[in-house]
Amino acid sequence: MRKINNLVATILIVAAGTSSAQAADKRYPIAYVQKVEVTHPSHRGAWENKDFLNCDDVVLAEEDVRYALRHMRRVSWKAYDPERTDTTGCEGSALVTFKNGKILAMGIEPNGRTLALEYDAKMKPTGSPTSFYECSPCRKRKMALLKDALNRADERRLKRLVVEGQLSASEAEFRLKWGRAERDKP
């Protein structure tokens, strides 16, 4: 009986540690959100290649912002640095107003990377430094949309190659099916 109690206690401790590792930033509780305003649903970086991904196909919605607030975890600049990590070249922006007057300006990528800057009620920056976040649940949630956007970009690129005569329609269809099957693999 004692072994079972120890096992249960161990499982509970591991579960608590796992959930706290993915816990949201306590400074921005979702219960105190007064308003979410998506200011730029889709913004592209300088290197966006529409043959690869059209950022207009990946749009930030209010529910995405609320979901990010619930699940984002703070990381260092080194862990966030775009030079060292994968980025999509796409980002949505939002302003989140809390009941205490604090405003959080957020930039959220479809892969869960989030940048946040805190303002007061008069939109003057507070003393808080820029915060960097990762959100694994956000990435899993939005990557389905990203995968769909990549499939549409493949379709556009292959149609253009068919029109230009560089590829036959049957070969384009085969490549499109193959590309989708590869993205659907775990």
Side-chain angles (χ1 to χ4, degrees):
M1 187 67 163
R2 182 167 225 175
K3 286 183 180 181
I4 292 174
N5 287 340
N6 287 341
L7 179 63
V8 170
T10 303
I11 291 171
L12 289 174
I13 289 169
V14 169
T18 304
S19 66
S20 65
Q22 232 3 282
D25 192 328
K26 302 294 184 212
R27 297 177 300 164
Y28 310 116
I30 192 71
Y32 293 110
V33 172
Q34 185 176 18
K35 178 176 89 170
V36 174
E37 177 188 353
V38 176
T39 54
H40 292 96
S42 183
H43 176 74
R44 61 192 46 89
W47 64 268
E48 181 208 22
N49 177 350
K50 289 190 180 186
D51 284 342
F52 172 69
L53 174 68
N54 185 341
C55 291
D56 293 336
D57 290 339
V58 184
V59 177
L60 181 69
E62 180 179 336
E63 67 187 56
D64 299 323
V65 176
R66 290 180 182 276
Y67 193 82
L69 284 170
R70 278 188 208 97
H71 300 285
M72 65 188 190
R73 67 176 177 83
R74 199 168 185 175
V75 295
S76 67
W77 165 251
K78 191 174 182 178
Y80 182 87
D81 186 2
E83 302 268 332
R84 298 175 184 221
T85 57
D86 292 331
T87 63
T88 60
C90 301
E91 180 181 81
S93 302
L95 293 175
V96 180
T97 305
F98 293 89
K99 292 177 183 175
N100 63 1
K102 191 184 309 183
I103 297 172
L104 189 64
M106 299 175 72
I108 302 174
E109 289 187 40
N111 62 1
R113 293 166 34 92
T114 302
L115 173 75
L117 188 58
E118 194 176 298
Y119 293 91
D120 65 15
K122 296 179 182 179
M123 286 304 291
K124 293 187 182 188
T126 63
S128 296
T130 303
S131 299
F132 308 100
Y133 298 93
E134 289 283 331
C135 179
S136 293
C138 299
R139 177 177 27 258
K140 290 174 186 161
R141 185 171 181 264
K142 287 301 275 189
M143 287 313 277
L145 287 178
L146 185 57
K147 184 168 51 171
D148 185 48
L150 290 169
N151 287 339
R152 285 195 301 272
D154 283 349
E155 195 172 328
R156 281 191 298 271
R157 181 177 37 74
L158 291 170
K159 281 182 181 178
R160 190 186 76 236
L161 290 173
V162 168
V163 169
E164 292 173 355
Q166 296 179 13
L167 202 61
S168 70
S170 61
E171 178 65 19
E173 185 66 29
F174 171 77
R175 287 185 183 184
L176 185 61
K177 286 180 182 178
W178 180 83
R180 287 180 177 170
E182 284 296 309
R183 281 195 187 100
D184 287 339
K185 288 183 179 178

